[in-house]
């Protein structure tokens, strides 16, 4: 069964709420490529250092990216990401998807994209 995993930056499970650099956590969702069935695998929490408000801590960004790699995510879906963070994420083979609003609507667009680009 072919599937892929998306890390969604959401605090409430309904809306995309998180900026990558300041995100507190991600919901890991696995999507079956053939049936489009979604399965929430985990909600992972990212603990911030005390001085994180003074700019993005390099080791914090690296630990976030490592957590995503540990879950074998294909892409991260967040509301915003800075250029430096985006470079670090994509350098690690994770696609960056920026969107706002409801998680369900964004996932429908993502499923259409993956079908179009992975089955032709």
């Amino acid at each position: 069964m072919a599937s892929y995993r998306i890390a969604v930056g959401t605090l409430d499970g309904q809306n995309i709420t998180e900026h990558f650099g300041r995100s507190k956590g991600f919901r890991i969702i696995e999507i079956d490529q053939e049936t489009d069935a979604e399965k929430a695998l985990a909600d992972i929490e990212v603990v911030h250092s005390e001085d994180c408000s003074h700019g993005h801590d390099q080791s914090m960004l690296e630990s976030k990216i490592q957590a995503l790699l540990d879950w074998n995510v294909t892409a991260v879906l967040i509301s915003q990401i800075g250029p430096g963070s985006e470079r670090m994420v994509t350098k690690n083979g994770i696609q960056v998807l920026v969107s706002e609003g409801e998680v369900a609507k964004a996932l429908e667009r993502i499923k259409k994209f993956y079908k179009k680009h992975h089955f032709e």
Side-chain angles (χ1 to χ4, degrees):
M1 174 172 78
S3 62
Y4 55 94
R5 294 180 178 180
I6 307 286
V8 182
T10 180
L11 290 177
D12 63 8
Q14 304 297 311
N15 297 290
I16 303 160
T17 56
E18 297 297 275
H19 178 291
F20 187 81
R22 294 188 297 266
S23 62
K24 294 178 178 72
F26 298 94
R27 175 163 290 172
I28 308 299
I29 299 174
E30 187 169 69
I31 300 172
D32 182 291
Q33 282 186 312
E34 293 178 25
T35 65
D36 283 344
E38 297 173 21
K39 179 180 178 184
L41 299 179
D43 288 315
I44 60 173
E45 189 174 326
V46 185
V47 181
H48 284 261
S49 61
E50 290 298 315
D51 64 349
C52 195
S53 61
H54 304 299
H56 300 319
D57 179 286
Q58 182 79 10
S59 63
M60 173 51 75
L61 291 173
E62 289 171 359
S63 66
K64 271 183 208 187
I65 292 167
Q66 187 57 55
L68 300 179
L69 292 171
D70 290 346
W71 278 96
N72 297 312
V73 301
T74 304
V76 61
L77 174 62
I78 54 340
S79 64
Q80 286 184 301
I81 188 168
S85 297
E86 184 170 8
R87 278 192 296 279
M88 286 177 66
V89 173
T90 57
K91 187 177 88 177
N92 281 280
I94 300 170
Q95 187 174 13
V96 174
L97 306 169
V98 177
S99 185
E100 292 184 343
E102 295 176 30
V103 172
K105 287 182 180 177
L107 288 177
E108 289 308 311
R109 290 192 303 270
I110 291 167
K111 289 176 193 178
K112 287 177 185 169
F113 173 83
Y114 273 86
K115 282 230 184 283
K116 188 176 196 178
H117 291 84
H118 290 271
F119 286 123
E120 286 182 358

